[in-house]
Amino acid sequence: STIVGTGEGGKITKEDVVLAISLQAAAPGAPPAPPKSVPFTGMRKAIADNMHASLQNSAQLTLMTEVDVTEMVHFRNLLREEYKKDESARISYNDIIIYTVARVLKRFPYMNSTLVGEEILLHDRVDIGIAVALPDGLIVPKVRNADRKGILQIGREAREVAGKAREGALSMDEVTDGTFTVSNMSMLCVDGFTPIINPPEVAILGVGRVVEKPGVKNGRIEVRSYMTLSLTIDHRVVDGAPGGEFLQSLARYLEQPALLNA
């Protein structure tokens, strides 16, 4: 409890422990070193200000649902097998979700809107932001016109902007004027969470990990794949019922990806 971690996010590393033991051996009973001070400035401060303003200036409500994504998993595996010789076509679950979200948004225009001053702007374009974690914060590059692009193209563009985000090479156009955001925390083994809206957007989708567990299919218990989706909406613009309908429709297409082309 007296060791100050120097690892990512304040984690205590092996080196921290070794140093603490050596200091204690050299000066038994000496008071612990003061905590390391990190300036609350730059990207971290900007993110804090934006998130606090988002919560202060909107009425946020989060809806959650568990989705049977067994068919989505099969669909992803089929695509990977089909394009296994093309590394640029290595499709992820997130690519499929972005593809599906973009098409469902066209049926729910208020979910694809922004609130600017006293106006709700309903957009024809679907520009989906992808939350990308960086060592010192978070940035949200956009996949433009996602509703007009196939899964392979979305996958390539998503990887491209995520790579540029980690390299600090994004242009202003690539991080502004989105209409909806997807935040995926599956790589951190998170199931469900309450994502915070990226203003002036009015909704954000949180994506949890895919887990296998017993489920009932046609009256029989079998191993199925499940995912938790968390949709946060600005209740000033979108009520709970249409938000729930959007989430229900999204879940339906993730459960049966073949329906997207019907």
Side-chain angles (χ1 to χ4, degrees), residues 11-238:
K11 291 181 179 179
I12 295 174
T13 66
K14 178 181 177 181
E15 290 74 17
D16 295 332
V17 177
V18 172
L19 177 61
I21 292 173
S22 64
L23 290 175
Q24 187 177 35
K36 181 174 66 174
S37 175
V38 178
F40 190 39
T41 58
M43 179 180 284
R44 184 71 270 157
K45 183 65 164 59
I47 292 171
D49 290 343
N50 289 339
M51 294 298 97
H52 185 256
S54 176
L55 291 172
Q56 288 285 95
N57 299 326
S58 60
Q60 301 197 20
L61 169 68
T62 300
L63 310 171
M64 295 187 181
T65 189
E66 186 178 63
V67 184
D68 183 338
V69 292
T70 306
E71 293 303 320
M72 184 191 79
V73 172
H74 291 165
F75 181 52
R76 193 282 305 263
N77 293 342
L78 180 64
L79 286 173
R80 285 196 169 187
E81 177 63 25
E82 181 70 16
Y83 298 100
K84 61 184 177 182
K85 295 181 180 180
D86 184 356
E87 278 298 317
S88 69
R90 189 170 175 79
I91 296 302
S92 69
Y93 295 138
N94 210 47
D95 299 332
I96 297 172
I97 290 169
I98 293 170
Y99 175 85
T100 308
V101 165
R103 279 141 186 82
V104 176
L105 281 173
K106 298 296 285 186
R107 306 176 189 181
F108 295 85
Y110 277 85
M111 298 293 298
N112 190 52
S113 67
T114 52
L115 181 59
V116 180
E118 299 298 316
E119 290 186 306
I120 300 171
L121 305 179
L122 306 178
H123 301 284
D124 288 331
R125 59 186 172 86
V126 179
D127 295 339
I128 296 184
I130 309 168
V132 179
L134 303 176
D136 55 349
L138 182 76
I139 196 165
V140 187
K142 318 300 177 187
V143 174
R144 302 292 184 190
N145 299 309
D147 58 312
R148 304 176 192 174
K149 296 172 179 174
I151 293 178
L152 296 182
Q153 187 175 359
I154 285 175
R156 292 187 181 104
E157 290 190 18
R159 281 185 291 278
E160 179 183 355
V161 294
K164 291 174 71 174
R166 297 185 182 99
E167 295 167 1
L170 289 169
S171 67
M172 185 60 68
D173 179 66
E174 290 171 316
V175 295
T176 56
D177 296 330
T179 62
F180 189 92
T181 296
V182 173
S183 179
N184 191 326
M185 296 191 70
S186 61
M187 71 294 295
L188 300 175
C189 295
V190 171
D191 293 316
F193 58 105
T194 53
I196 299 174
I197 293 171
N198 187 24
E201 298 169 18
V202 301
I204 181 172
L205 180 72
V207 179
R209 62 176 175 167
V210 174
V211 293
E212 288 188 338
K213 57 185 178 180
V216 178
K217 181 72 172 179
N218 298 324
R220 301 180 60 182
I221 297 176
E222 57 185 64
V223 176
R224 309 287 295 177
S225 296
Y226 291 90
M227 168 188 286
T228 297
L229 300 178
S230 309
L231 176 72
T232 298
I233 56 176
D234 187 341
H235 216 317
R236 298 175 302 168
V237 178
V238 182

